[in-house]
Amino acid sequence: MIPAINMVDENVNSIQALVLLPTRELAFQTSKVIKDLSKYTKIETMVTTGGTNCRDDVLRLQKDVHI
């Protein structure tokens, strides 16, 4: 994840990296790692998984999300 975080431009408010993972648990673990590694930056990350309400995902995507 370090190379992906390094390539993100904090000043561009759009999705710049997409990480696809096979399980929900791995998605949440990876999100935590991204948040820990980018703690001192303005990089925003979001997790979405299947079986959840799409409306919530759409609302969260309207905010600034980089990864």
Side-chain angles (χ1 to χ4, degrees):
M1 292 313 317
I2 294 173
I5 292 169
N6 192 37
M7 296 294 291
V8 170
D9 183 357
E10 299 172 12
N11 300 316
V12 177
N13 294 325
S14 64
I15 298 172
Q16 299 174 43
L18 176 66
V19 182
L20 299 176
L21 299 162
T23 64
R24 182 179 306 222
E25 292 79 15
L26 188 56
F28 285 111
Q29 290 172 1
T30 303
S31 174
K32 183 180 180 325
V33 168
I34 294 170
K35 288 178 182 178
D36 289 344
L37 290 174
S38 61
K39 182 173 16 178
Y40 299 108
T41 67
K42 296 178 184 175
I43 294 174
E44 294 294 329
T45 185
M46 180 186 126
V47 176
T48 184
T49 58
T52 60
N53 189 353
C54 290
R55 183 182 191 138
D56 295 337
D57 293 340
V58 170
L59 292 174
R60 288 188 293 157
L61 282 171
Q62 290 177 350
K63 298 178 183 175
D64 296 340
V65 177
H66 299 103
I67 299 176

